[in-house]
Amino acid sequence: MTYNELRWNPLLGLWNIVSSKRKTRPWREEKCPFCPGSRELGYGWDVKVLDNMFPALKTDAQKATDTRDILKVKSGYGYCKVVVETPEHVGDLDTIPFDNLVKVIKAFQEETEKLCEDRRIKYVFPFRNKGELIGVSLTHPHSQIYALPFIPYRIKSEIANGRTFYKKNGRCLLCHILELERSEKKRTLYSNRSFTLFMPSFAMWPYETHIYSNKHLATLPELSEEQVRDLADVIKVTVAMYNSLFDFDLPYVMAVHQAPCNLKHNFFHFHIEFYPIHRSKDKLKYAAGIEWGTWTFTYDDLPENKVAELANAIQRASQRLATAGYTIRGDHRQVT
Ligand SMILES: [Zn+2]
Ligand SMILES: [Zn+2]
Ligand SMILES: [Zn+2]
């Protein structure tokens, strides 16, 4: 029997996902389940969406325990999907064909629409874990989508701060941040017609960067065909930048933040956050005592110094992409 449940943390006001079978998840399988010809995938595809074989959330989830007083327990209802990004076993978002990346984003759009139709689903979260150091057990290029029966804490917090800012200033917080970054130009790295890549002045991870849509929009399904292609472009350039930084494939988390299902307001602005865990070529940034114990991040350099390193990397990346036959759709920061 497997158990999938949600347990409420009354101190922090957030849900944890508890699933009893996930611990038996294989670390390395003999044969890659995402390569063409596997039992699940067959042949003749270039991007494929499938159900996670070891889901943390299920639509037929069974609870192992019951709510007692304020110690709330709910069934772990939800969906865990995998988006296999290419039939090729090796690669990253900067090396898979551009059209595959476009299809991956379209899969995010379609899944968001589909999953939000389930009235029990409150939030759809596409993300990507890259690299062994992040804990990736399957190296075949893929991203994931979790459909959650609640709005996660971090998103709630972004909405709450967005709402406060909107009430006070009559405009979107992220539109405002983007305007500040684009006028100051100290931390911007790349922009095309629809998106801007920059390091936020409040970066928590040493090489953290964010992608904001230039126009205000809240969810993936709102992106037009052209905006999808521009998003694929800025993601490709971002990952190429990271993989050019130290000349090895940099581990990272890519978190796609969109508005919750059925939330109609102007407080949420679509964006993507990248968290690489390195702080230099051979050192990692650990979330340790001060970070875990208080959620206060320490940044051991000036973010602007790290931006200069990323600017160098993005210059090399755009040359590398050009050599591989890809012309970037926007302008990157020039190294002076
Ligand atoms: Zn494979
Ligand atoms: Zn906005
Ligand atoms: Zn965010």
Side-chain angles (χ1 to χ4, degrees):
M1 189 74 181
T2 60
Y3 299 101
N4 299 71
E5 57 186 39
L6 306 177
R7 295 200 185 187
W8 180 248
N9 177 335
L11 267 78
L12 297 177
L14 54 77
W15 291 103
N16 288 344
I17 300 174
V18 177
S19 58
S20 68
K21 258 285 166 67
R22 267 180 80 78
K23 60 177 186 263
T24 60
R25 204 161 61 117
W27 174 247
R28 287 265 187 279
E29 292 191 22
E30 288 283 294
K31 232 173 132 199
C32 175
F34 298 160
C35 270
S38 72
R39 190 164 43 88
E40 286 215 303
L41 287 165
Y43 294 95
W45 51 274
D46 46 11
V47 170
K48 196 103 171 174
V49 180
L50 43 136
D51 292 325
N52 190 313
M53 285 173 277
F54 303 95
L57 299 164
K58 294 156 83 169
T59 48
D60 58 351
Q62 300 288 323
K63 279 194 302 178
T65 44
D66 286 314
T67 293
R68 182 157 180 270
D69 200 316
I70 57 164
L71 306 177
K72 285 191 275 180
V73 179
K74 284 208 266 191
S75 81
Y77 184 90
Y79 304 82
C80 296
K81 304 262 181 188
V82 173
V83 183
V84 184
E85 298 156 343
T86 164
E88 299 290 327
H89 186 66
V90 180
D92 199 346
L93 297 178
D94 58 337
T95 56
I96 65 170
F98 183 73
D99 284 346
N100 282 54
L101 188 46
V102 168
K103 282 183 187 168
V104 169
I105 296 165
K106 285 183 175 170
F108 289 169
Q109 288 186 299
E110 283 158 22
E111 291 298 321
T112 298
E113 270 186 327
K114 218 160 49 185
L115 294 164
C116 281
E117 272 169 25
D118 181 336
R119 297 177 76 95
R120 291 176 72 178
I121 295 304
K122 301 286 185 288
Y123 195 73
V124 177
F125 177 55
F127 64 100
R128 191 176 201 279
N129 297 330
K130 163 72 192 296
E132 253 177 78
L133 286 167
I134 302 277
V136 177
S137 47
L138 279 167
T139 52
H140 192 119
H142 70 283
S143 33
Q144 301 186 56
I145 302 170
Y146 272 36
L148 303 165
F150 56 85
I151 301 171
Y153 185 90
R154 188 161 181 152
I155 301 304
K156 266 192 184 164
S157 189
E158 289 189 0
I159 294 169
N161 287 309
R163 180 182 284 124
T164 305
F165 186 87
Y166 195 94
K167 291 217 163 120
K168 204 167 160 209
N169 303 283
R171 71 177 309 203
C172 161
L173 173 61
L174 269 72
C175 283
H176 188 67
I177 291 172
L178 189 59
E179 194 178 293
L180 289 174
E181 293 294 347
R182 285 172 70 111
S183 65
E184 200 185 27
K185 294 192 175 72
K186 270 164 88 173
R187 285 170 297 269
T188 46
L189 287 157
Y190 181 73
S191 65
N192 60 28
R193 263 170 314 174
S194 315
F195 294 93
T196 299
L197 170 72
F198 66 100
M199 175 179 286
S201 68
F202 46 86
M204 294 165 140
W205 298 93
Y207 295 101
E208 177 171 341
T209 61
H210 293 187
I211 295 168
Y212 285 13
S213 58
N214 292 341
K215 284 212 180 96
H216 183 87
L217 52 94
T219 62
L220 280 158
E222 290 169 45
L223 295 175
S224 69
E225 176 79 30
E226 208 42 36
Q227 284 169 327
V228 167
R229 296 186 82 77
D230 283 343
L231 183 58
D233 173 75
V234 68
I235 290 173
K236 189 177 174 85
V237 171
T238 304
V239 173
M241 170 187 78
Y242 282 139
N243 290 341
S244 302
L245 182 62
F246 302 127
D247 292 318
F248 58 76
D249 273 17
L250 197 70
Y252 62 82
V253 170
M254 178 180 93
V256 179
H257 284 173
Q258 59 179 335
C261 300
N262 310 314
L263 205 72
K264 299 273 174 270
H265 61 55
N266 289 321
F267 310 139
F268 202 93
H269 185 125
F270 175 81
H271 62 285
I272 297 181
E273 306 185 359
F274 280 88
Y275 324 125
I277 56 171
H278 279 74
R279 63 185 171 95
S280 64
K281 190 166 189 159
D282 47 15
K283 286 196 184 72
L284 299 181
K285 163 74 187 175
Y286 291 101
I290 187 72
E291 287 85 5
W292 272 120
T294 68
W295 286 356
T296 305
F297 268 71
T298 56
Y299 194 102
D300 307 320
D301 196 347
L302 284 178
E304 291 72 24
N305 292 340
K306 295 288 187 202
V307 170
E309 290 177 47
L310 289 173
N312 268 303
I314 208 166
Q315 185 137 312
R316 292 197 301 277
S318 80
Q319 283 157 6
R320 186 160 63 78
L321 291 174
T323 309
Y326 181 77
T327 312
I328 58 172
R329 292 164 78 98
D331 301 305
H332 64 77
R333 189 190 182 94
Q334 296 297 326
V335 180
T336 43

